[in-house]
Amino acid sequence: MSTQAQAPQHELPGKPTSVSRTTLSHIMTGNDTNLLGTVHGGVVMKLVDDAAGAVAGRHSGGPAVTASMDEMVFLEPVRVGDLVHVKAQVNWTGRTSMEVGVRVLAERWNESTPATQVASAYLVFTAVDEEGRPRPVPPVLPETERDRRRWQEAQIRRTHRLARRRAIKELRDRRTAQGMLDE
């Protein structure tokens, strides 16, 4: 079965990947540092969540909430004085959820050297209505080969998330049935 055949049925018209793609840029200051003198990972994670949330809201046409963060990887330290660019796009959509891929680049604020990738992450957002209940999202329409690769990789991550969740539930159910209760 092809990955296209596994896509959920959507009632809404699709939106191209480029429609919601965005870049958030921020200069890192001394207020952003950890005890080692580099930018705190939590500061970078907040920027990632902010950019991903903007993309999810744009794509879904309304509020969306963070459901999970997958594979937050820190590749290089970020330093005070770095100009950080957080690039985000919707990689995949389900019925009410979206995977947003994020790349974090950093460059010295006062130099003309190329930016370096310092982190990446994948987040899952759920679109919500006024009462906070999940609502349908438009399908994402990959435009380039890179977008199509990201869509396929997102499908694999989704399959793994669901399998992991199912395996953990089954293990907990077996332990409970055997009288092994967690304290």
Side-chain angles (χ1 to χ4, degrees), residues 32 38 65 70 129:
D32 301 318
T38 56
V65 296
D70 286 354
D129 64 16

Side-chain angles (χ1 to χ4, degrees), residues 10-155:
H10 293 277
E11 310 106 39
L12 304 171
K15 289 185 178 179
T17 307
S18 61
V19 168
S20 58
R21 189 177 293 143
T22 194
T23 300
L24 176 134
S25 296
H26 188 80
I27 192 159
M28 299 290 106
T29 67
N31 292 334
D32 301 318
T33 60
N34 58 26
L35 296 174
L36 299 174
T38 56
V39 172
H40 194 289
V43 171
V44 175
M45 290 174 78
K46 182 179 184 326
L47 294 173
V48 164
D49 192 44
D50 288 347
V55 166
R58 279 179 168 187
H59 183 82
S60 68
V65 296
T66 311
S68 69
M69 178 182 271
D70 286 354
E71 300 180 40
M72 181 73 202
V73 178
F74 296 96
L75 304 168
E76 298 285 335
V78 178
R79 302 171 295 164
V80 171
D82 280 353
L83 180 57
V84 172
H85 307 286
V86 185
K87 298 177 176 279
Q89 76 171 49
V90 173
N91 290 335
W92 177 89
T93 52
R95 195 178 61 74
T96 63
S97 64
M98 301 157 274
E99 184 197 88
V100 179
V102 182
R103 287 183 337 139
V104 183
L105 305 159
E107 60 182 316
R108 295 308 291 166
W109 70 274
N110 59 347
E111 297 174 8
S112 60
T113 56
T116 302
Q117 185 171 349
V118 296
S120 66
Y122 300 100
L123 296 88
V124 177
F125 278 78
T126 301
V128 294
D129 64 16
E130 305 80 33
E131 283 82 42
R133 292 185 303 248
R135 63 180 171 80
V137 298
V140 67
L141 304 173
E143 299 173 279
T144 66
E145 277 307 310
R146 185 179 203 179
D147 292 342
R148 283 184 275 286
R149 175 187 53 81
R150 287 179 173 181
W151 189 92
Q152 291 171 328
E153 290 173 359
Q155 196 59 17

Side-chain angles (χ1 to χ4, degrees), residues 157-173:
R157 282 187 292 275
R158 178 178 185 272
T159 300
H160 285 239
R161 273 193 303 275
L162 295 174
R164 183 177 60 235
R165 185 180 305 150
R166 191 171 38 255
I168 290 170
K169 182 183 181 322
E170 289 169 3
L171 173 64
R172 288 180 179 175
D173 289 348

